[in-house]
Amino acid sequence: MNKQWLLAQRPTGLFTPQDFELKEVIIPELTDEQFLVRVIYLSLDPAQRMWAQMDTYLPAVAKGEVMRCLGMGVVIKSRSPAFKEGDVVQGMTGWQTHVITDGRGYSQVPAKSGLPLPVYLGPLGMTGITAYFGLLEVGKPENGETLLVSAAAGAVGSVVCQIGKIKGLRVVGLAGTAEKCRWLKNELGIDEAINYRDANAYAQLKTACPKGIDICFENVGGKSLDMALGLLNVGARVPLCGYISEYASSEPGPGVHNLAALISKRAKIEGFLVLDYVHRSRDALSDLGKWLMDGRLKYNMDINEGFESLPEVINKLFEGKNTGKLLMQISAEPE
Amino acid sequence: MNKQWLLAQRPTGLFTPQDFELKEVIIPELTDEQFLVRVIYLSLDPAQRMWAQMDTYLPAVAKGEVMRCLGMGVVIKSRSPAFKEGDVVQGMTGWQTHVITDGRGYSQVPAKSGLPLPVYLGPLGMTGITAYFGLLEVGKPENGETLLVSAAAGAVGSVVCQIGKIKGLRVVGLAGTAEKCRWLKNELGIDEAINYRDANAYAQLKTACPKGIDICFENVGGKSLDMALGLLNVGARVPLCGYISEYASSEPGPGVHNLAALISKRAKIEGFLVLDYVHRSRDALSDLGKWLMDGRLKYNMDINEGFESLPEVINKLFEGKNTGKLLMQISAEPE
């Protein structure tokens, strides 16, 4: 049997169990070219909130459709020439325990690399590729510049911070707890980490960026972006990766007031999507893999269990409760 | 005697007469290299509100200093080899009837060109150069694209609209009165003009941009920008020229809420300053001059009189009461 979470209604604030319907369906027979995947890990990402709510760069998940997400699993039956039994694969599995696919959008994971499998959904997956191209292609960093990263302890942010250090930047991170700040400073080695919930966060930020901000890698938007705008240097770049301050609120979030600063500073805010860089992921993965191997790229995985708890667990993203990549493990890794 | 308006206090909302002090001072003797200008026209621009209030790309006007502005006048006495009596010149004259200068930042106006002198503070001055480079260099228009212009009946906006038409764009303008909209459509020949004060302005805008917005030339910010963000196309550019919605309010203006749209649309907002393009103004003026001569570039001048009324007249900019370039004439043109 295949257990699935179907979207039942469009979420308005945080996800609720009522937004989904849990269903069990019989797994049909394979036709030619198809293979069956037993899903192991599901990747939980802020974008899923948007996909559930509205048409964006992808059409909204339809009501009654399996909730969309990236996942990883093992092929347990195959009539495909390209994917054989035992292959570990990743693709848009959705929130379900099994998938039948013809392989479009799926790729093999180098399961025998010695690296833990979840890494391929984190720093060596879309997460890492997003951080890599967002910082390097949109942010265009130059040695010695100051980089501010919001949601710095998040999956993408924590990789951005470390690439920033590798590229010779002064890196300042914003995160939502003192513990995350300690992790960023002590484990990831960034220059300063600030709890944006502190009353004097802006003053701390100003002190942490004595030469102003050249790049603000923005995952949050709203007040976080407003703070950064106040400290931009001439020619600053703001790669806009996510806008988590708005994703999970039913009300419009706090507006941004300091945009006029872009004029005096000849600065820009530029949105980007990792989809536009996927054809170049080999370059990113080669660098990211090297940095992982030589210990310059560290990561934290927040691996959860319990397929039934998906609607609650994903909210950790919007409540700032995860450190690093948020995953759900729903079956065992192959021996 | 030289009459001057000195800045007395930093404005908090609209300008008030109390923000300035009117003073008469004796005009000193010229030293070598200096010349004396009798000021004829003062250019009133939204940026002056910012200059009076705070440090930006220029230091704030100091209290007790002559209020800063661009102006035009005639040389009535000269000990400069480069500027002779009778020359019509422009430069940062400030709010005063006479200026003594060594000529730095001043240039001669081709007074015998047959064009009215005020044109050199409008479409053939900084105003036109701002419109030209903002649209062409920052907006990077391509034939057939849709251009939205806010404050479209303003000095810069009205030039942007017309360059847009010359470059083969569909041009939609936002303005604050039905009369301005009529002028934009009937006189300047843009495709649609919408009164942003109409309750259904967003619906009108959507209808006027059936293929979405590729370039939004933004002078206003706040709600105006929010409307545009909702209709951006993939790869859209938002040259941010001004942010008049915030300049003249003592409270923070309406925040911008739709920035997340930049992500899905891989779009960017980019601030720019005409100062960065001044060294290339010859290119702009050559095109602008040609378009003026062949009638493809029209303009409206809102020429006011009465030096004493400067603090009130400049507020027309922030109350949306000017159509086209706002000038103050404070003495007669040379015969």
Side-chain angles (χ1 to χ4, degrees), chain B residues 237-303:
Chain B
R237 290 81 67 200
V238 182
L240 191 61
C241 175
Y243 214 89
I244 204 164
S245 66
E246 297 259 349
Y247 292 161
S249 83
S250 45
E251 318 264 296
V256 171
H257 290 89
N258 285 337
L259 287 171
L262 296 174
I263 304 171
S264 294
K265 303 303 182 181
R266 298 82 146 168
K268 68 178 169 197
I269 304 182
E270 185 167 1
F272 73 97
L273 281 184
V274 66
L275 294 183
D276 295 334
Y277 296 95
V278 165
H279 64 288
R280 295 169 56 194
S281 37
R282 194 181 296 249
D283 300 345
L285 294 175
S286 149
D287 279 344
L288 292 164
K290 207 169 52 195
W291 297 330
L292 261 180
M293 297 299 192
D294 70 13
R296 284 196 286 174
L297 184 55
K298 295 171 187 167
Y299 57 89
N300 225 350
M301 292 284 170
D302 184 341
I303 301 179

Side-chain angles (χ1 to χ4, degrees), chain B residues 151-325:
Chain B
V156 171
S158 58
V159 178
V160 171
C161 283
Q162 296 176 88
I163 301 178
K165 287 312 299 172
I166 291 167
K167 296 292 178 185
L169 307 177
R170 176 175 179 81
V171 178
V172 178
L174 291 173
T177 67
E179 195 192 334
K180 289 180 182 179
C181 289
R182 273 193 299 276
W183 178 68
L184 287 164
K185 242 189 121 164
N186 301 339
E187 295 297 314
L188 303 194
I190 73 172
D191 298 283
E192 293 296 340
I194 296 160
N195 186 338
Y196 68 82
R197 293 182 163 128
D198 286 354
N200 66 345
Y202 185 72
Q204 287 184 54
L205 183 60
K206 218 169 156 177
T207 308
C209 304
K211 292 184 190 167
I213 295 169
D214 300 293
I215 308 173
C216 167
F217 192 100
E218 188 58 56
N219 293 297
V220 176
K223 282 181 190 164
S224 168
L225 178 53
D226 248 346
M227 285 208 293
L229 288 168
L231 296 170
L232 294 186
N233 287 333
V234 168
R237 290 81 67 200
V238 182
L240 191 61
C241 175
Y243 214 89
I244 204 164
S245 66
E246 297 259 349
Y247 292 161
S249 83
S250 45
E251 318 264 296
V256 171
H257 290 89
N258 285 337
L259 287 171
L262 296 174
I263 304 171
S264 294
K265 303 303 182 181
R266 298 82 146 168
K268 68 178 169 197
I269 304 182
E270 185 167 1
F272 73 97
L273 281 184
V274 66
L275 294 183
D276 295 334
Y277 296 95
V278 165
H279 64 288
R280 295 169 56 194
S281 37
R282 194 181 296 249
D283 300 345
L285 294 175
S286 149
D287 279 344
L288 292 164
K290 207 169 52 195
W291 297 330
L292 261 180
M293 297 299 192
D294 70 13
R296 284 196 286 174
L297 184 55
K298 295 171 187 167
Y299 57 89
N300 225 350
M301 292 284 170
D302 184 341
I303 301 179
N304 299 263
E305 293 188 14
F307 185 76
E308 280 72 15
S309 61
L310 266 165
E312 290 100 64
V313 170
I314 193 172
N315 282 331
K316 290 174 85 169
L317 293 167
F318 308 110
E319 299 173 315
K321 289 187 177 158
N322 62 307
T323 302
K325 183 72 190 177

Side-chain angles (χ1 to χ4, degrees), chain A residues 107-122:
Chain A
S107 60
Q108 272 100 345
V109 172
K112 314 239 184 267
S113 69
L115 290 168
L117 285 185
V119 165
Y120 294 97
L121 288 175

Side-chain angles (χ1 to χ4, degrees), chain B residues 18-53:
Chain B
Q18 291 73 48
D19 295 337
F20 302 95
E21 183 195 348
L22 191 57
K23 203 173 165 185
E24 283 198 67
V25 294
I26 290 169
I27 298 169
E29 288 301 309
L30 297 180
T31 61
D32 271 358
E33 312 288 324
Q34 288 189 326
F35 57 94
L36 171 65
V37 178
R38 167 172 64 77
V39 179
I40 305 169
Y41 293 105
L42 297 176
S43 173
L44 299 182
D45 304 292
Q48 288 168 37
R49 178 67 180 42
M50 249 175 12
W51 297 344
Q53 202 178 19

